[in-house]
Amino acid sequence: MRSPWGMTAAAAVSVSVMAVLAGCTTTDSAAPTSSPSASASTSQTPAPSTSAAAAPEQGADALASVDTIVVSATQLSLRAADSEVASIALVGTPLDDAVSTLTDVLGEPRPSDLEASSCVRAQTAWSWGDATRIGTPDLHTDDGTLSFGTNETAVATTDGRSVRIETLTGEAVGDSVAPLDEALDATVKDDFATAPDQELLSIVYDLVRNPQVDSGDYRPYGASVYSEKGVIESIQGPNEIKSDC
């Protein structure tokens, strides 16, 4: 697979959100059975929220104080300083509920109607900033799981805040991928051997499952990053790498 912003045909950072981020839209208006996971990567996923899009008792005022979104394989943790204000379970949450909560955090989104393609299901996704989007499942996201992704470090809100989007260990777009590369086993990575000069690397940093398709062929699925020349270019949660798409 080659992503819309320059990945090789072997690359599979999740076409789904990558395609969405790169503009596979027709309009953009204002208004496997799982195999046991590889032993190399231990999930750091926080316990999923018990409610679909759990706003705390403080309501929208508290959500308006959020300065960080932490992306795991099962949820978005909405944080103010070091405290979690709310969370959005990525599994089982209706898209409308997730969009409503993120609207309280980031401001009004833009709808994007996506046409079906070989790797993307037809749907309406929602976006903030330049390229931060959430949508329903595509061909690399499990049914019943929302597909979230960004290729920007932070989203500027209409009320003047900046909301940073991070991995579980604090990396954001623009940061070095080296800490994740050093911390995780090769079974949850794809270094795109067909394009060594581009120094491409995908890493599933929060593993959900690692299905074996054919003997020796593993396709890690979970929250991931994609990097070029050592710099993180996108954060996705969750998706599958090493796919055929």
Side-chain angles (χ1 to χ4, degrees), residues 123-193:
Q123 60 173 284
T124 297
W126 298 86
S127 62
W128 293 264
D130 293 329
T132 296
R133 302 201 184 193
I134 193 166
T136 46
D138 50 47
L139 299 190
H140 294 278
T141 304
D142 290 340
D143 285 335
T145 300
L146 296 176
S147 179
F148 177 85
T150 187
N151 64 358
E152 53 192 332
T153 304
V155 175
T157 67
T158 54
D159 61 0
R161 291 175 297 115
S162 179
V163 179
R164 180 177 165 93
I165 303 173
E166 298 181 345
T167 68
L168 290 168
T169 47
E171 292 85 9
V173 170
D175 290 343
S176 171
V177 77
L180 288 173
D181 190 15
E182 293 167 1
L184 296 171
D185 186 89
T187 57
V188 293
K189 302 175 188 178
D190 189 352
D191 61 4
F192 312 116

Side-chain angles (χ1 to χ4, degrees), residues 4 7 67 79 81 87-88 120 136 141 180 192-193 204:
M7 292 169 55
D67 56 27
R79 302 183 182 181
S87 63
I88 299 173
V120 178
T136 46
T141 304
L180 288 173
F192 312 116
V204 175

Side-chain angles (χ1 to χ4, degrees), residues 21-140:
L21 293 177
C24 293
T25 63
T26 56
T27 63
D28 194 4
S29 59
T33 30
S34 305
S35 300
S37 61
S39 59
S41 176
T42 302
S43 173
Q44 305 177 56
T45 309
S49 171
T50 55
S51 59
E57 292 182 1
Q58 300 98 314
D61 288 345
L63 290 172
S65 71
V66 168
D67 56 27
T68 306
I69 297 175
V70 178
V71 182
S72 77
T74 59
Q75 71 172 18
L76 303 178
S77 177
L78 312 177
R79 302 183 182 181
D82 294 328
S83 300
E84 183 177 87
V85 172
S87 63
I88 299 173
L90 292 174
V91 181
T93 299
L95 178 61
D96 288 350
D97 291 351
V99 170
S100 177
T101 300
L102 287 173
T103 297
D104 287 336
V105 174
L106 300 174
E108 289 297 322
R110 302 182 305 276
S112 298
D113 293 333
L114 310 179
E115 293 184 348
S117 71
S118 60
C119 297
V120 178
R121 298 179 187 178
Q123 60 173 284
T124 297
W126 298 86
S127 62
W128 293 264
D130 293 329
T132 296
R133 302 201 184 193
I134 193 166
T136 46
D138 50 47
L139 299 190
H140 294 278

